[in-house]
Amino acid sequence: MDPCRLAWSSFIDSNATLVDKSAAIADVMDRNGNLVIAGLYPRRTGKSTFLNTLASFLGIQDEDLSRADRRAAFEGSTLFETDRAFFEANFGKYPVIKFDFKTQDPASRGEALHSVGEAMLRAVSPYVPLLKQIASGCVPTIPGVEVDHIRVDEHKRLASGLVDKIRRVELSEAPPAVNGLSEVIISLMELFRKLLGVKSVVLVDEYDTPFMNALHRPDIDDSTRGAIHRVYANFLCDILKGNNYLHKGVLVGVFDMRNVGLGSGLNLVETYLAHSGIERSGEANPFQRAFGFTASDVWGLVCTFVESLWDHRHNCTNPEQFKRDLLVKCIRRFDGYRIGQVRCVFNTYVVVRFFEASRQAQQNDITASGRSFWVQTGSMRTIESIQVESLELFQRLLRCLMTVYHYRRAGQSDTGAIADLDNVDRVRDDMVERMGSQDQPVYPIDYDEGAHRMLASICMGQGLDSTTDLVGLGTRPLSAAAAIRLLYQAGYLTPISADRVGIPNEEVRDALEDYCAKVVAKHKRNPADVDAVNESIGIYNGKLVQLAGSLNTCMMTTVTGLSTKTLEKVYHTMFSAFVHPARMIGYEVSSQAPMENGASDVIVCPGVCITEHPSSKPYYYVFELKRVADDPDMTYELQMRPAHRQRVERGIRRWAFSALTQIKERYQQAAAVRARHCTVLYTVGIAFWLHRFFLVAKKYRRRERSDGLVDWVDVPYEDADVAGASTSDKSASVENGILVVSTVCSNGTLN
């Protein structure tokens, strides 16, 4: 396994472990009627490797492999086995002209012209010896390709002129003209059409890179930026639009540039993003089998790794169980993407890097590893430098995404691929294949439906103008919609269904949290802005009455699907998601946090940068959550009777105080040690029933002793702390120094 190998020939020469994506060649070339198509998907998902595979299969020649060697390699592929007619009709048939814009980062129009000229020279260089043969009057020999001998003399001048033009571009120090560069390509394609009787295929790798780099550069003005864009747009339009010698054009990249640099110039390009073809009623996504690893691909790599590549394989006592654990690890950490109808898609580079890094590791170290690979590969300066102007809306959308991710993650323990695998001792191939047809588990709670619809519209909507905002990417903050759209296209988000987007996996979730913290940090220079955004949850300022009020609003207005049968872990997941925004302002939120005598439900504690905020007073929170259970056979009518609701009110109160006692007896000593750098320690017990809850809390203040040790002094709540806090749907009081907040109806009973 070598994540750095891109050329098809290098796979063959090194006898590398190869994941077969050849079936997608027919999808892209034969089963899609559009002349020019673009596939946009996150980086490190195998786009460049697929283009090289496409070029090696279609091309009339390969600089590194003979036609016979290429055919021998492809005869073992899925394409050969499943679509022999297409294979025979297209193998080695077309002149392939491949451009790579990966390193293009010009700062002026002149540099852009030179960069395009260099890309053109690299694209035509494999055919220069062939052109020289034709220019000298010799009939070239191309294995498997029939050359029109009679017309060679007729086109000697055209070939000779092409050689001269290529030579002039090589030697000239002045910027070449755009139409001169495109003319070389079109003339070359014309020559092939007349001599070989076939049209050419044009491939463009990372076509969006020069556009995004120009947008990102703060050292150039809008006029220069526009001039750079026009150089690339005009060049691509010249060779792809109205070209009678073009058989197929395939572009790949990450970001959608149709509304930025290309405008209507390439309106003939059919662009496919991750959500294209997600509805069965629409046209299939031709790239859905080209990019990423499927669950079956990863399972094959897991087996190969354990059986052949892992250094400690001979010491493994239960290889089958280890394979299962590795697969579950990959699903949790790297799975979650979707392309069209293909679910359970993994980032290719990341999976390979994971196995490469694990070759010499011990079994327990591999399965426990939480290392990230995707965020450490390549430059993400475009995303990392984004500033957002509408921070409140941006955080609302991110809070919705984080909440849904927590719900889905919790749901995986009951349903979905991970639950299926956890219940077996030996993974079978058919189980893995079934994973690719399963939708990700949906937890029975709807959270902020308005934000859901907005996210889907931003990421998957047609005709969205958010990309036009990118013109100011390097110099001014973006709208929340433009920032979310970039995150989606960059791979931080993925389609889950036709009307939902979400965070794909743990690794990306961690990266997204880091990014969010950076965005918020840029706004921390104005403390009033931070306080206004984060006032609602009360974590930053120790106002638990405020937290209870916001939690009540959340449960009553944005959370649905709760019933008397709702499990305690559902409330646990929901509450974890509710306090999750604290991570965006420097706090750490831990679920099932290990303590000496068990695991506390939720811990919220200061992160390393919490003291950067001028009004910061580091607080440490320990939350324990309970749920009031009803008789499962009790009807809804009985549950709603006043007598039963009064029993529930007594029960929910008892459970809340029980949670507070549990913290004191089991977790408080350990929490006091961990909170030694904080100012105040809060212990909070919460009991839930339906959409209602009962919260009790105690407060302890840190006191340094003369001997250097730390004591925690009980600070009783006072009536002044809750003055004016009670409302029509929330009661706040103090009992024996303990804060008590309950959500009640106007008649004073639980609803």
Side-chain angles (χ1 to χ4, degrees):
M1 299 179 187
D2 189 343
C4 297
R5 296 186 183 276
L6 295 176
W8 178 262
S9 59
S10 64
F11 284 113
I12 305 304
D13 292 342
S14 64
N15 194 30
T17 301
L18 182 65
V19 176
D20 186 357
K21 292 291 179 182
S22 62
I25 295 175
D27 296 338
V28 169
M29 297 299 299
D30 191 43
R31 302 191 182 108
N32 184 278
N34 297 291
L35 184 64
V36 184
I37 60 175
L40 304 180
Y41 211 61
R43 64 194 177 96
R44 305 300 190 183
T45 50
K47 298 186 298 294
S48 298
T49 301
F50 176 73
L51 274 197
N52 285 332
T53 304
L54 193 61
S56 190
F57 175 81
L58 298 172
I60 58 174
Q61 64 180 36
D62 187 300
E63 291 184 289
D64 301 313
L65 287 175
S66 67
R67 182 185 179 90
D69 288 341
R70 282 190 292 148
R71 183 177 177 92
F74 278 105
E75 282 183 350
S77 69
T78 302
L79 179 63
F80 183 81
E81 296 174 355
T82 60
D83 199 341
R84 184 73 60 85
F86 174 88
F87 185 98
E88 299 298 347
N90 291 274
F91 174 77
K93 177 179 179 179
Y94 303 98
V96 175
I97 302 172
K98 183 174 179 292
F99 299 94
D100 187 349
F101 289 166
K102 187 177 303 181
T103 59
Q104 306 260 322
D105 188 13
S108 66
R109 182 178 183 276
E111 288 185 17
L113 289 168
H114 276 300
S115 297
V116 172
E118 292 171 358
M120 184 275 291
L121 291 173
R122 288 193 298 271
V124 302
S125 62
Y127 300 110
V128 170
L130 190 65
L131 290 175
K132 291 180 177 179
Q133 280 185 290
I134 298 171
S136 65
C138 299
V139 178
T141 301
I142 306 175
V145 179
E146 184 176 343
V147 180
D148 190 338
H149 295 62
I150 298 176
R151 305 194 68 181
V152 169
D153 284 339
E154 182 181 339
H155 296 294
K156 286 170 51 178
R157 178 176 294 182
L158 177 58
S160 178
L162 276 171
V163 173
D164 290 341
K165 289 179 181 179
I166 293 170
R167 184 65 174 166
R168 283 198 297 271
V169 173
E170 287 178 326
L171 298 177
S172 176
E173 295 183 0
V178 174
N179 58 357
L181 296 173
S182 57
E183 183 182 319
V184 171
I185 302 299
I186 295 172
S187 297
L188 180 63
M189 296 168 71
E190 177 188 4
L191 180 65
F192 285 138
R193 179 72 176 92
K194 291 177 177 179
L195 288 183
L196 308 181
V198 293
K199 297 181 179 181
S200 299
V201 172
V202 172
L203 308 178
V204 186
D205 193 12
E206 298 202 25
Y207 91 95
D208 58 318
T209 297
F211 293 95
M212 284 301 292
N213 285 343
L215 288 169
H216 180 268
R217 294 186 72 116
D219 57 335
I220 60 177
D221 56 31
D222 288 347
S223 175
T224 303
R225 191 175 290 112
I228 293 172
H229 283 175
R230 285 191 293 276
V231 168
Y232 288 93
N234 291 339
F235 177 72
L236 291 174
C237 289
D238 286 348
I239 62 176
L240 296 175
K241 186 175 183 179
N243 185 347
N244 295 326
Y245 308 113
L246 177 68
H247 174 70
K248 191 81 172 185
V250 182
L251 296 75
V252 299
V254 174
F255 298 104
D256 188 356
M257 295 289 103
R258 284 174 293 179
N259 293 335
V260 177
L262 300 182
S264 61
L266 282 181
N267 53 15
L268 77 163
V269 177
E270 187 69 22
T271 300
Y272 295 88
L273 287 85
H275 59 269
S276 302
I278 202 168
E279 296 186 88
R280 293 188 181 277
S281 58
E283 182 182 359
N285 189 330
F287 295 99
Q288 65 185 13
R289 295 196 291 175
F291 306 149
F293 285 158
T294 65
S296 296
D297 295 335
V298 174
W299 175 237
L301 292 174
V302 166
C303 294
T304 299
F305 174 81
V306 174
E307 296 169 2
S308 306
L309 302 177
W310 184 38
D311 289 354
H312 299 282
R313 58 187 179 275
H314 301 299
N315 300 325
C316 184
T317 57
N318 193 336
E320 296 303 321
Q321 182 178 338
F322 183 42
K323 290 178 185 177
R324 184 202 65 183
D325 293 344
L326 268 183
L327 182 59
V328 170
K329 175 70 179 179
C330 288
I331 292 172
R332 286 195 185 279
R333 195 70 183 158
F334 310 123
D335 182 23
Y337 289 101
R338 178 169 182 167
I339 312 178
Q341 288 297 315
V342 178
R343 304 165 177 83
C344 203
V345 178
F346 297 73
N347 185 299
T348 57
Y349 192 90
V350 168
V351 171
V352 174
R353 281 285 301 275
F354 169 69
F355 285 118
E356 282 296 309
S358 302
R359 290 187 67 163
Q360 297 179 345
Q362 297 290 336
Q363 180 172 336
N364 292 337
D365 294 336
I366 297 174
T367 53
S369 171
R371 288 183 58 187
S372 295
F373 297 97
W374 180 69
V375 296
Q376 298 174 358
T377 59
S379 171
M380 286 301 289
R381 63 174 185 165
T382 298
I383 295 298
E384 291 170 354
S385 64
I386 290 177
Q387 299 182 49
V388 181
E389 58 184 9
S390 47
L391 182 62
E392 188 170 356
L393 174 60
F394 185 66
Q395 288 197 294
R396 176 195 171 191
L397 297 175
L398 288 175
R399 184 162 58 247
C400 177
L401 289 165
M402 294 294 183
T403 302
V404 173
Y405 178 81
H406 279 294
Y407 288 166
R408 284 199 294 109
R409 176 66 186 274
Q412 285 180 330
S413 62
D414 295 325
T415 183
I418 292 178
D420 293 344
L421 294 174
D422 279 341
N423 294 325
V424 299
D425 295 325
R426 181 187 180 93
V427 178
R428 302 189 311 274
D429 292 346
D430 63 302
M431 295 173 56
V432 179
E433 291 175 4
R434 230 176 12 253
M435 288 169 54
S437 62
Q438 291 180 346
D439 283 321
Q440 295 187 14
V442 178
Y443 224 48
I445 294 179
D446 295 325
Y447 181 86
D448 201 344
E449 183 63 24
H452 276 306
R453 290 194 297 269
M454 191 182 303
L455 284 164
S457 176
I458 290 171
C459 297
M460 301 189 288
Q462 297 296 319
L464 189 71
D465 291 332
S466 62
T467 46
T468 60
D469 295 340
L470 299 182
V471 174
L473 179 62
T475 57
R476 51 186 177 268
L478 300 182
S479 67
I484 290 292
R485 178 85 168 182
L486 279 179
L487 289 173
Y488 174 70
Q489 294 181 10
Y492 286 97
L493 308 176
T494 187
I496 296 175
S497 63
D499 60 351
R500 285 288 188 274
V501 297
I503 301 170
N505 53 51
E506 281 183 354
E507 185 194 26
V508 178
R509 189 273 315 274
D510 294 345
L512 188 57
E513 287 177 347
D514 291 342
Y515 162 69
C516 295
K518 292 177 182 177
V519 170
V520 174
K522 293 173 184 176
H523 290 258
K524 282 187 178 180
R525 297 169 188 169
N526 186 347
D529 291 343
V530 179
D531 292 340
V533 172
N534 300 290
E535 183 79 5
S536 60
I537 59 173
I539 292 292
Y540 216 84
N541 47 26
K543 296 181 179 179
L544 290 177
V545 175
Q546 204 165 327
L547 179 143
S550 298
L551 178 60
N552 182 43
T553 301
C554 172
M555 295 189 66
M556 296 304 296
T557 61
T558 64
V559 176
T560 62
L562 298 176
S563 71
T564 55
K565 298 180 181 179
T566 299
L567 300 178
E568 185 173 296
K569 71 175 182 179
V570 175
Y571 289 107
H572 174 246
T573 303
M574 180 203 63
F575 184 78
S576 297
F578 169 74
V579 296
H580 194 274
R583 301 193 71 157
M584 302 179 189
I585 56 174
Y587 274 85
E588 295 179 0
V589 179
S590 303
S591 299
Q592 292 296 311
M595 294 287 189
E596 279 72 1
N597 296 313
S600 179
D601 285 339
V602 178
I603 295 288
V604 180
C605 60
V608 292
C609 299
I610 196 71
T611 54
E612 291 181 358
H613 193 271
S615 64
S616 171
K617 297 177 181 178
Y619 303 134
Y620 196 102
Y621 300 86
V622 182
F623 294 93
E624 187 66 25
L625 312 179
K626 302 294 183 182
R627 160 234 182 210
V628 177
D630 273 334
D631 184 344
D633 297 325
M634 183 178 292
T635 65
Y636 181 79
E637 288 75 17
L638 290 174
Q639 292 167 353
M640 293 298 107
R641 286 182 178 179
H644 177 69
R645 286 187 291 172
Q646 290 171 6
R647 286 195 296 272
V648 169
E649 185 175 8
R650 292 192 296 271
I652 199 171
R653 176 188 178 89
R654 184 173 63 254
W655 279 109
F657 276 97
S658 172
L660 195 63
T661 301
Q662 181 174 329
I663 296 175
K664 182 176 181 179
E665 294 177 350
R666 298 176 62 180
Y667 314 132
Q668 189 162 326
Q669 184 176 357
V673 174
R674 300 183 187 187
R676 59 187 177 276
H677 298 300
C678 296
T679 305
V680 180
L681 168 65
Y682 291 93
T683 59
V684 187
I686 309 177
F688 293 93
W689 181 77
L690 293 176
H691 291 78
R692 302 299 183 176
F693 63 88
F694 198 100
L695 179 149
V696 293
K698 295 198 68 174
K699 177 169 56 175
Y700 302 87
R701 187 172 299 279
R702 180 176 179 269
R703 182 181 66 182
E704 290 192 19
R705 300 187 335 200
S706 58
D707 58 3
L709 299 178
V710 172
D711 282 337
W712 290 93
V713 181
D714 187 352
V715 181
Y717 277 93
E718 300 177 354
D719 291 339
D721 295 324
V722 296
S726 295
T727 62
S728 60
D729 61 355
K730 178 178 90 275
S731 171
S733 61
V734 175
E735 298 180 13
N736 299 319
I738 298 175
L739 174 67
V740 177
V741 182
S742 63
T743 55
V744 297
C745 289
S746 57
N747 62 2
T749 60
L750 283 164
N751 189 11

